[in-house]
Amino acid sequence: MTEFVGIGARRPGSERYELSARLAELIGEFNRNLIDFVADIIPAVKPQVAFYEQLGQPGIDCLEQTMRLAREKGLLVIADAKRGDIGSTAQAYAAAWLGGESAADALTVNPYLGTDGMEPFLAACRKFNKGLFVLVRTSNPSAAELQDLEVEGEPLYARVARLVAKWGNDPDLIGACGFSSIGAVVGATWPTEARLIRAVLPRTFFLIPGYGAQGGAAADCAAGFTSENYGALVNASRSLIAAWRNASRYAAGADYAAATRTAALRMRDELRAAAL
Amino acid sequence: MTEFVGIGARRPGSERYELSARLAELIGEFNRNLIDFVADIIPAVKPQVAFYEQLGQPGIDCLEQTMRLAREKGLLVIADAKRGDIGSTAQAYAAAWLGGESAADALTVNPYLGTDGMEPFLAACRKFNKGLFVLVRTSNPSAAELQDLEVEGEPLYARVARLVAKWGNDPDLIGACGFSSIGAVVGATWPTEARLIRAVLPRTFFLIPGYGAQGGAAADCAAGFTSENYGALVNASRSLIAAWRNASRYAAGADYAAATRTAALRMRDELRAAAL
């Protein structure tokens, strides 16, 4: 971890700041190449805010540039920041990520603080025509620890799903196809849970992380689709952006982007087959 | 919300960026004056990261300067960012906020993702001698919605408290007085719950928000103290930084800092009396 400046680090000119600035530049170039190579075959990008935050200000700058570029290319931009707070603080996060000047179309949020923590985010979605993806059942092994605890005859994540239904059930947030702008994060690694959550949320967009590197297969993802086989955004991170690692040779130059395109096409085909 | 640039906004030179930069400058000056006026009577500051994030890069710069200044004045710096994620992403947040170059001494984190989401933060605490405050029972009205649900005969927050005990029970994280670097956030507005959590966590630092503007009184805070009447850090935000609003006249110049000092002294006296 020590190679990054983080938040509150030394000022421009220090060795670590300059290293982080250089890293942020390279990541920005990498992102630009990837977006150029896949923008025609993917619907959205989901930058992990943490990876930019750890580079301090140069990282935030790189994130902003990447989000703007993705948006210019017609992609939906989901800021994966997993924010969550109360009152005026939640309002400030909503302003940061969903406000009129933000390049994000949607934000991931954590539900642990309950409805009054969510309201400022919902208000921002109404005002700026943005969306949320609320963590319901995450893709990690320890997700079960709290999210699966039984409360009044159902797992906690089902209770959270009911809250998501309530938060999203607002005419100002529901679009032409009957889906709400308030979506749910449902890990690809848990198909049984995904089916249960889909039963609670028939007209909610699911953001499905965990495809690829985390072990989720296309058929697992399909467990989260609607009965008409849509309504889900399947996310792959490492299996796409680091696809060059699995290529027959470690590619130079922009070839890593070609490897990502090949992996993205395969992912698309697998998901289409699973949705048949 | 529209007056702020947020993340991903227009570049330096745009009207909103310059407005946010100017606001960030003024907030930095305000913070410097407040810290100067209270550093001798308070132990710690807890900047709300959201308020800086909503100003985009100038806000992050202001936050960094404020954290560094507080640290130079000998104050503990608790970055109230309520971060939470899994695997490599959690590692990146830990690097951002607890890494060797960060000016924060501790970070607030959200437990909803479970143990594997917490491990990178715990590793950073061990490596860099930093601390965490895990959200257990928050101060807001809707906290009960999920946190109070009964799971296997106890409220969910008690289960989270047991996890905090487990996460903090590590010789590398326990100091000379037997307290762990892994603390718990326990709202001042819920004294009954605080007593229950203290029974689960006898040697854990509590971060107690909600004193003052949110309605928590000194006696409510004392419900979270240990049997020896310590082990808690009571936080006041608006009732201190906006103390000038309650002064007999709207003070000009640095007088707002004097109003904050008066309020901080009163808070200290009230807490001391409650701890008798």
Side-chain angles (χ1 to χ4, degrees), chain B residues 112-271:
Chain B
Y112 188 66
L113 287 84
T115 295
D116 60 27
M118 210 52 58
E119 270 163 3
F121 291 105
L122 299 172
C125 287
R126 280 185 215 102
K127 181 166 180 184
F128 301 111
N129 195 26
K130 300 289 177 89
L132 298 176
F133 288 99
V134 183
L135 299 182
V136 173
R137 186 60 165 74
T138 56
S139 57
N140 56 313
S142 298
E145 207 167 58
L146 293 173
Q147 298 164 28
D148 281 14
L149 289 174
E150 191 180 306
V151 292
E152 296 165 15
E154 65 182 1
L156 179 63
Y157 67 77
R159 174 64 64 102
V160 174
R162 284 179 214 289
L163 285 173
V164 171
K166 197 174 83 176
W167 295 333
N169 185 21
D170 175 333
D172 290 343
L173 292 170
I174 295 176
C177 297
F179 279 78
S180 172
S181 299
I182 310 308
V185 176
V186 180
T189 43
W190 308 96
T192 307
E193 289 77 1
R195 268 183 285 271
L196 196 153
I197 299 168
R198 180 51 83 189
V200 176
L201 296 169
R203 303 304 269 179
T204 294
F205 289 115
F206 283 10
L207 174 62
I208 304 185
Y211 174 93
Q214 285 187 56
D220 298 326
C221 296
F225 295 174
T226 65
S227 53
E228 302 92 346
N229 273 321
Y230 58 81
L233 208 48
V234 178
N235 175 70
S237 297
R238 274 165 290 171
S239 62
L240 293 189
I241 63 178
W244 55 270
R245 285 188 184 160
N246 302 320
S248 55
R249 58 192 170 81
Y250 275 48
D255 282 5
Y256 58 82
T260 293
R261 183 178 175 85
T262 304
L265 283 167
R266 190 171 56 238
M267 176 181 171
R268 185 189 66 177
D269 293 344
E270 284 176 10
L271 287 171

Side-chain angles (χ1 to χ4, degrees), chain A residues 138-164:
Chain A
T138 56
S139 57
N140 56 313
S142 299
E145 207 166 59
L146 293 173
Q147 297 164 28
D148 282 14
L149 289 174
E150 191 180 307
V151 292
E152 296 164 17
E154 65 182 0
L156 178 63
Y157 66 78
R159 175 64 64 103
V160 175
R162 283 179 215 289
L163 285 173
V164 171

Side-chain angles (χ1 to χ4, degrees), chain A residues 94-218:
Chain A
W97 295 100
L98 303 170
E101 295 263 316
S102 168
D105 296 292
L107 176 71
T108 56
V109 292
N110 186 310
Y112 189 66
L113 287 83
T115 295
D116 60 27
M118 210 51 58
E119 271 163 2
F121 291 105
L122 299 173
C125 287
R126 279 185 216 102
K127 182 167 179 183
F128 300 111
N129 195 27
K130 300 289 178 90
L132 298 177
F133 287 98
V134 183
L135 299 182
V136 173
R137 186 60 165 75
T138 56
S139 57
N140 56 313
S142 299
E145 207 166 59
L146 293 173
Q147 297 164 28
D148 282 14
L149 289 174
E150 191 180 307
V151 292
E152 296 164 17
E154 65 182 0
L156 178 63
Y157 66 78
R159 175 64 64 103
V160 175
R162 283 179 215 289
L163 285 173
V164 171
K166 197 175 83 176
W167 295 333
N169 185 21
D170 176 333
D172 291 342
L173 292 170
I174 294 176
C177 297
F179 279 78
S180 172
S181 299
I182 310 308
V185 176
V186 180
T189 43
W190 308 96
T192 307
E193 290 76 1
R195 269 184 284 271
L196 195 153
I197 299 168
R198 180 52 82 188
V200 176
L201 295 169
R203 303 304 270 180
T204 294
F205 289 116
F206 283 10
L207 174 62
I208 304 186
Y211 175 93
Q214 284 187 57

Side-chain angles (χ1 to χ4, degrees), chain A residues 3-4 17-28 55 62:
Chain A
E3 67 270 39
F4 300 119
Y17 186 95
E18 296 309 321
L19 176 61
S20 286
R22 180 71 187 123
L23 268 170
E25 253 178 58
L26 292 170
I27 292 168
L55 296 175
C62 171

